[in-house]
Amino acid sequence: MSTIGIKRLEGIHWYVRDLERSRSFYTGKLDFAETWRSSPELEAKGRQRSACFSAGNINVIVSSPLPHGAGEASRAARFLSKHPDGVGTLVFEVEDAERAFRVIEARGGTPIADIETFTDDGGTLRQFSITTPFGDCTFRFRERRGFGALYPGAVPHQGGGGNRFGFQEIDHVTSNFQTMKPMLLWLEHVLGFEQMWEVAFHTSDVDPARKTGSGLKSIVMWDPISNVKFANNEPARPFFKSSQINIFNEELRGDGVQHVAVTVGDIIGAVRGLRQAEVAFMPTPGSYYDMLPERIKRSGIDAIEEDLSILRDLEILVDGDHHHAYMLQIFLKEAAGLYRDPAAGPFFYEIIQRKGDRGFGAGNFRALFESIEREQHKARDA
């Protein structure tokens, strides 16, 4: 199967109600630099205001409708009329926009419009967008030939931080679906992705007598050439409705991007600094770390380099499944919790440091659920 020539996942495009709040979070908390802003001409045309926040090879574009009703017809406003804040576009750099367009359309993909061409003093950019099976999130494909701006209509801006936490690149995108098979087939047959990894489990595996629970099925699809990866989740029975995946979909009011994982070179230093910057993370029960030495032995990792007491203190998770290869990960609180505002939505970030492992934390899924079970039992017995 011929590829569509993806080079990288260039960035994610958020639609939010409060751009200033996002600016404060990315530059003030995560120490991203604000690198681009929308020009007055682009704002008048699109009826929304945008800014790009960058760290390493990560670009996060954030757009909000213009105030006082002027942005009612904008893409951001249309998205926000149906959803809380969330990811509305994923942007890919491709080798050849015309070839990508031709291959995608021949495979049954649905372009929103024909290829557009833009020029600036540096060169040319060609781009097009397509619809997708995950909710109201579209994909945009860009071919760069010396084009200087990050996107057409962007003007450079210097502000914000210097990436002192060492963010590197987007590791993967995770999305939640009521049923993920359409997305898996679309990724395979339209984009040419391959299956890389899968896991399925439920807390009823831990305690068959329980009357409530949460479970999931997860399949990762990837493009081996560009290393772009999509993790795709759906709820698992029994207790489908109480699955964390289903709850996310109810809160987002549809399928969509649940989280984006970004890599760092030193997760201990990054998390320590982020906690000092008052970034909130999802809590990890202490019982997770009580069982961690035995889990490491059973997993086949043999040993890890990090001090377990430091990982416990920072609540960093460990996973892996073969000799001396493992990963370290932690999850920020969802946006609604970070901002204490339900309209901010259920999206969250994952921070990950890979030490030879290519997996996605299957052991952590189960270990965390088991730890939560034990904590709940302790609370009932107290």
Side-chain angles (χ1 to χ4, degrees):
M1 179 182 287
S2 62
T3 72
I4 61 175
I6 293 175
K7 296 174 69 175
R8 65 177 179 131
L9 177 55
E10 181 178 277
I12 63 174
H13 195 155
W14 269 76
Y15 298 105
V16 305
R17 291 163 175 80
D18 188 342
L19 179 56
E20 287 303 319
R21 182 169 66 181
S22 295
R23 176 174 284 120
S24 176
F25 173 71
Y26 284 103
T27 63
K29 298 285 190 183
L30 300 190
D31 201 40
F32 277 44
E34 185 172 356
T35 50
W36 300 91
R37 287 185 177 180
S38 49
S39 66
E41 295 78 15
L42 181 61
E43 292 174 6
K45 179 182 178 181
R47 301 184 184 183
Q48 61 189 31
R49 183 164 292 134
S50 305
C52 177
F53 307 101
S54 304
N57 291 320
I58 304 163
N59 294 305
V60 179
I61 302 99
V62 182
S63 298
S64 61
L66 293 179
H68 311 302
E72 289 181 357
S74 67
R75 162 76 167 127
R78 293 194 299 273
F79 182 93
L80 296 171
S81 70
K82 295 188 285 184
H83 308 283
D85 296 357
V87 176
T89 304
L90 297 176
V91 185
F92 303 84
E93 185 179 357
V94 294
E95 297 169 353
D96 184 329
E98 185 175 342
R99 186 184 84 197
F101 186 97
R102 185 174 62 250
V103 171
I104 288 172
E105 191 170 41
R107 292 175 180 169
T110 308
I112 295 171
D114 291 330
I115 297 173
E116 296 179 288
T117 301
F118 302 87
T119 59
D120 65 9
D121 292 340
T124 302
L125 181 144
R126 307 180 75 203
Q127 69 176 25
F128 66 95
S129 297
I130 64 173
T131 58
T132 76
F134 49 121
D136 290 310
C137 184
T138 60
F139 283 10
R140 179 169 293 160
F141 300 91
R142 287 184 176 143
E143 173 197 349
R144 296 183 175 277
R145 298 292 180 187
F147 192 80
L150 180 65
Y151 56 89
V155 293
H157 181 83
Q158 293 184 349
N163 193 21
R164 69 180 184 274
F165 304 123
F167 293 111
Q168 297 173 330
E169 60 188 5
I170 296 172
D171 184 86
H172 64 271
V173 175
T174 297
S175 300
N176 289 349
F177 306 90
Q178 291 288 288
T179 175
M180 67 179 168
K181 191 65 172 182
M183 183 56 163
L184 301 177
L185 292 171
W186 185 84
L187 283 169
E188 178 185 358
H189 293 286
V190 176
L191 295 194
F193 280 41
E194 302 172 8
Q195 184 169 327
M196 176 186 182
W197 183 92
E198 68 178 303
V199 67
F201 82 95
H202 200 285
T203 50
S204 60
D205 297 343
V206 179
D207 181 4
R210 69 196 314 276
K211 296 181 180 180
T212 60
S214 181
L216 79 154
K217 297 177 183 177
S218 183
I219 293 179
V220 176
M221 303 290 289
W222 77 318
D223 173 29
I225 296 175
S226 65
N227 201 35
V228 171
K229 300 183 288 290
F230 286 96
N232 310 280
N233 301 328
E234 69 179 14
R237 70 179 195 282
F239 318 122
F240 181 102
K241 293 295 184 181
S242 62
S243 166
Q244 294 179 21
I245 308 305
N246 182 65
I247 291 170
F248 171 93
N249 284 58
E250 290 179 348
E251 292 175 347
L252 186 66
R253 297 194 287 277
D255 296 340
V257 177
Q258 180 208 42
H259 75 266
V260 171
V262 295
T263 62
V264 293
D266 173 18
I267 196 170
I268 289 176
V271 172
R272 184 177 283 130
L274 288 164
R275 288 192 181 279
Q276 291 172 353
E278 299 183 345
V279 173
F281 294 87
M282 294 185 189
T284 304
S287 53
Y288 170 91
Y289 298 95
D290 295 339
M291 302 297 294
L292 187 55
E294 182 60 30
R295 258 206 333 118
I296 290 173
K297 289 180 182 179
R298 292 200 315 266
S299 69
I301 300 171
D302 296 336
I304 65 172
E305 298 174 348
E306 291 73 21
D307 186 326
L308 291 183
S309 65
I310 294 176
L311 298 182
R312 179 192 286 266
D313 182 55
L314 295 173
E315 298 186 341
I316 295 170
L317 309 174
V318 185
D319 205 0
D321 58 10
H322 57 283
H323 186 64
H324 292 313
Y326 59 99
M327 56 177 281
L328 304 163
Q329 64 186 153
I330 193 170
F331 300 93
L332 273 66
K333 273 193 175 181
E334 75 285 354
L338 287 171
Y339 296 129
R340 297 181 177 88
D341 177 9
F347 173 94
F348 57 89
Y349 280 105
E350 173 185 353
I351 298 175
I352 186 169
Q353 180 182 358
R354 293 195 179 275
K355 309 195 79 171
D357 184 79
R358 297 169 60 206
F360 290 81
N364 281 338
F365 277 119
R366 181 174 294 281
L368 274 172
F369 278 125
E370 291 174 352
S371 296
I372 291 168
E373 293 282 342
R374 284 190 289 271
E375 293 297 316
Q376 291 172 338
H377 285 307
K378 287 179 183 178
R380 285 196 296 266
D381 296 340

